[in-house]
Amino acid sequence: MEEYFLIIIRTLFLYFLIIFIFRIMGKREIGELSILDLVVFIMIAEMAVMAIEQPKDPIIHTLLPMGVIVTIQIVFAWISLRSKPFRELLDGTPSVIIHKGKIDDKVMKKQRYNYDDLLLQLREKDIFNLADVEFAILEPSGKLSVLKKDDEEEASQSLTLPLILDGEVQTTHLDMIGKTAFWLRKELRDRGFKNIQEISFCSFQNGQFYVDEKNH
């Protein structure tokens, strides 16, 4: 009886502890989890199960590794906010699978992404003909973002595409709206932004620029 009571107490304690841990790790949809988040979630879940199944084992044997993992995740998240290369190393980068109606086989092979995967995700978006696709971007989360040919002009006016992230020009997004890096630099200089590296975020929508400079 005492063992059952201990199992119940541990279960409740770990339940609320894991909720607290996930809260401090930040808000993100399940489908948007990075590899790092997924590994942390799996390891914490496994530790919690072992702690419940072994009630005689000291709870510190579970809390200590949990604390180490959460600390690592928080430190990595902090570094990711300040380093784009480190963020790309952990989370990956979007891959353009279809560019201006042409499928990039090299990118597909690099991502171990086959035509069955592509056709399946297109069907999930009610697209049954590859010829209808102007751009298809495989996101780090595994989701496929699609821009149809008949929606290209409308989408270029309605979608917010970052042209600069953390001081780096996003050439893929410039290609999607039919602009060049030279055009972007000129437009920004005309608006008083001479150093692109000092810009944390820049987008172009409905003929208007939104520019956010880095805080110092």
Side-chain angles (χ1 to χ4, degrees):
M1 189 67 180
E2 182 181 350
E3 182 176 340
Y4 293 148
F5 179 75
L6 184 58
I7 290 175
I8 293 173
I9 295 299
R10 282 196 174 205
T11 301
L12 292 174
F13 172 74
L14 290 170
Y15 172 76
F16 289 109
L17 176 62
I18 291 174
I19 290 177
F20 173 74
I21 288 174
F22 289 172
R23 290 286 291 175
I24 66 175
M25 285 174 56
K27 298 179 179 179
R28 188 179 293 191
E29 293 182 8
I30 297 298
E32 303 296 332
L33 294 179
S34 66
I35 294 176
L36 179 61
D37 293 330
L38 189 58
V39 169
V40 170
F41 285 8
I42 291 174
M43 292 186 69
I44 288 178
E46 287 292 329
M47 291 176 190
V49 170
M50 291 177 62
I52 294 171
E53 290 179 344
Q54 301 174 6
K56 294 183 179 180
D57 190 43
I59 193 68
I60 189 64
H61 291 175
T62 299
L63 298 181
L64 182 60
M66 274 189 178
V68 171
I69 291 174
V70 172
T71 300
I72 292 174
Q73 200 276 344
I74 292 174
V75 170
F76 279 8
W78 183 84
I79 297 174
S80 295
L81 289 173
R82 289 156 177 78
S83 172
K84 188 171 184 290
F86 187 80
R87 182 168 64 250
E88 292 178 349
L89 178 65
L90 291 181
D91 297 339
T93 57
S95 302
V96 181
I97 303 296
I98 300 178
H99 182 267
K100 293 186 177 179
K102 182 174 176 57
I103 299 173
D104 194 325
D105 295 319
K106 292 182 179 179
V107 173
M108 290 184 65
K109 289 179 181 178
K110 182 179 178 181
Q111 298 298 324
R112 297 178 179 84
Y113 188 78
N114 57 50
Y115 281 92
D116 290 333
D117 297 328
L118 176 60
L119 293 173
L120 172 62
Q121 290 192 285
L122 288 177
R123 288 196 298 271
E124 290 175 345
K125 296 180 178 295
D126 296 326
I127 300 174
F128 298 91
N129 189 353
L130 276 171
D132 294 336
V133 180
E134 182 71 9
F135 288 94
I137 302 174
L138 185 64
E139 306 293 352
S141 64
K143 289 185 177 181
L144 190 70
S145 300
V146 179
L147 179 65
K148 297 174 67 175
K149 288 183 177 179
D150 55 358
D151 295 337
E152 181 182 4
E153 182 177 353
E154 179 182 350
S156 65
Q157 297 296 320
S158 60
L159 290 177
T160 300
L161 296 174
L163 304 184
I164 298 175
L165 286 175
D166 292 337
E168 294 186 9
V169 176
Q170 307 299 300
T171 55
T172 300
H173 293 166
L174 282 170
D175 290 339
M176 291 180 68
I177 64 173
K179 303 295 184 181
T180 65
F182 176 79
W183 168 85
L184 177 61
R185 293 177 187 276
K186 181 179 182 302
E187 291 293 327
L188 291 176
R189 281 198 303 268
D190 291 344
R191 289 164 174 77
F193 302 100
K194 297 181 180 180
N195 189 355
I196 286 181
Q197 293 182 346
E198 293 298 319
I199 298 175
S200 60
F201 183 89
C202 170
S203 63
F204 181 70
Q205 183 178 12
N206 298 328
Q208 299 292 325
F209 278 94
Y210 173 82
V211 180
D212 182 56
E213 293 186 281
K214 294 181 179 179
N215 295 324
H216 296 286

